[in-house]
Amino acid sequence: MKSVAEQLELLTAGCETVVTREELQKKLEQGRPLRVKLGCDPTAPDLHLGHSVVLRKLRQFQDLGHKAVLLIGDYTALIGDPTGQNKTRPMLSAEKIEQNARTYFEQAGKILDMSPDKVEVRRNSEWLGKMTFADVLKLAGQMTVARMLERDTFEQRYEADIPIGVHEFLYPLMQGHDSVMLQADVELGGTDQLFNNLVGRDLQRDAGHEPQCVLILPILEGLDGVEKMSKSKGNYIGLSESPTDMFGKAMSISDALMAKWYRLLLNQPVPAGHPMEAKKSLAQALVAQYHGTQAGQQARQEFEQKFSKRDYSEVAETLAVTGEIWIVELVERTGKFKSRGDIRRLIQQGGVSLDGQKITDDKARVAVKEGQVLKAGKLVVVKLTVS
């Protein structure tokens, strides 16, 4: 059994913000299982590694004997969290929300202990769906417009004269009301959720409850190393993806991003040695987390055979080309890149080779020969045929 001091160190490790550490210590000193809330809006059907950062923190609470309260925001999803949005989100249908919500139980179980005594799964339609208009007005009266505009996304949209729907102002209030109804002791979230989580503290005080502690986890950048991991941005690794796809995508991240992935996804520093070996170890560990140790080893072996050892004898994709061709157009014909601008940059950075010979001139024309292997980036490999 860990002491309060040991629990506090473990639970706050890796957090960007803790509101407040002293309050969390007092709650832990009560010696009872804390109710730790994590809300998920089923606006998309898949969980990805970005979600795993906060889910892993929730698992730490479970392992210490506390109760995970997994809130499926089936009612708030009708609005869609305006966090990080520069425009009003389209509302989802109830059918689509229900379809997405069902997948959350299975995917969350890859990280959380889903035993009945360890997790409580709730839907906020249980109480939000029963509110009268008078109840909504009373809830809205607990927040001023000035306070709402403190939220950076609203402030930016207001100054840029981008429309803000009145219903979007209700989202933080609905999320805060969830904390009241669940009697949450702690709420977890990413850095983009701090405003919403603090609203929960305010509403709990107004209801005469002890305010929840808030633990804010860092946002995980996606495969591009720039934007936060998101399915809509296409820079994500889904928790349900195949071992091969998961390993291959992890190998595509930059060396600069690797340290943060090690820290947030494995709670480890980057091992000493060559960056490529460190990246393979990262990819193998991620596959092992969600598919088992054997799958991680097999995915690494397959990757090394196909890419690291330059054994392209089993390359499945072929591309038929006639005669001489501009290198940018040749890469474009693989259908793996969004724009010629992306291809030019990849060439200039030394990411394109033909039969092992790098091509760094984006104006070059190449004479294609039968059986040559074109490699573009870390994952795109095709065998060329002359038509």
Side-chain angles (χ1 to χ4, degrees), residues 196-212:
N196 292 352
N197 296 162
L198 294 180
V199 169
R201 284 171 58 87
D202 292 340
L203 297 186
Q204 285 178 315
R205 285 195 192 94
D206 290 348
H209 299 175
E210 185 177 294
Q212 64 187 13

Side-chain angles (χ1 to χ4, degrees), residues 49 220-223 229 235 237 249-250 253 257-268 282 286:
L49 290 182
L220 183 74
E221 287 84 6
L223 301 176
M229 186 173 285
N235 64 351
I237 298 179
K249 284 186 175 184
I253 68 171
L257 184 60
M258 185 165 50
K260 189 170 186 180
W261 277 41
Y262 258 99
R263 177 166 54 87
L264 295 184
L265 300 177
L266 301 180
N267 294 331
Q268 298 174 10
L282 169 66
L286 291 175

Side-chain angles (χ1 to χ4, degrees), residues 280 300-310:
K280 288 178 187 176
R300 179 167 183 161
Q301 290 170 359
E302 291 175 355
F303 182 90
E304 289 177 339
Q305 180 181 6
K306 193 171 185 180
F307 297 99
S308 302
K309 298 180 180 178
R310 298 183 179 276

Side-chain angles (χ1 to χ4, degrees), residues 186-369:
V186 180
E187 182 166 18
L188 305 182
T191 53
D192 56 353
Q193 289 295 311
L194 179 58
F195 182 89
N196 292 352
N197 296 162
L198 294 180
V199 169
R201 284 171 58 87
D202 292 340
L203 297 186
Q204 285 178 315
R205 285 195 192 94
D206 290 348
H209 299 175
E210 185 177 294
Q212 64 187 13
C213 296
V214 173
L215 272 61
I216 297 297
L217 281 299
I219 294 293
L220 183 74
E221 287 84 6
L223 301 176
D224 55 8
V226 179
E227 301 276 0
K228 87 170 190 176
M229 186 173 285
S230 166
K231 186 173 183 180
S232 63
K233 294 181 173 64
N235 64 351
Y236 74 107
I237 298 179
L239 300 189
S240 296
E241 290 196 47
S242 70
T244 299
D245 288 345
M246 187 176 282
F247 193 100
K249 284 186 175 184
M251 289 300 298
S252 73
I253 68 171
S254 68
D255 292 349
L257 184 60
M258 185 165 50
K260 189 170 186 180
W261 277 41
Y262 258 99
R263 177 166 54 87
L264 295 184
L265 300 177
L266 301 180
N267 294 331
Q268 298 174 10
V270 178
H274 195 283
M276 179 58 73
E277 290 303 310
K279 198 174 295 183
K280 288 178 187 176
S281 296
L282 169 66
Q284 180 178 342
L286 291 175
V287 173
Q289 276 185 0
Y290 301 104
H291 297 283
T293 302
Q294 186 175 352
Q297 294 171 344
Q298 185 175 347
R300 179 167 183 161
Q301 290 170 359
E302 291 175 355
F303 182 90
E304 289 177 339
Q305 180 181 6
K306 193 171 185 180
F307 297 99
S308 302
K309 298 180 180 178
R310 298 183 179 276
D311 179 4
Y312 301 121
S313 58
E314 297 183 3
V315 172
E317 294 190 59
T318 60
L319 180 64
V321 184
T322 302
E324 191 176 89
I325 186 171
W326 179 31
I327 185 62
V328 172
E329 183 180 353
L330 177 60
V331 176
E332 184 181 41
R333 287 192 185 184
T334 66
K336 305 292 186 181
F337 297 89
K338 293 181 179 179
S339 69
R340 287 187 171 183
D342 290 343
I343 296 170
R344 286 178 183 273
R345 284 189 291 274
L346 183 63
I347 292 170
Q348 293 164 2
Q349 294 166 3
V352 173
S353 64
L354 194 59
D355 268 2
Q357 297 296 314
K358 285 187 178 181
I359 300 172
T360 56
D361 181 3
D362 61 4
K363 299 181 179 63
R365 296 184 67 83
V366 294
V368 175
K369 298 177 183 178

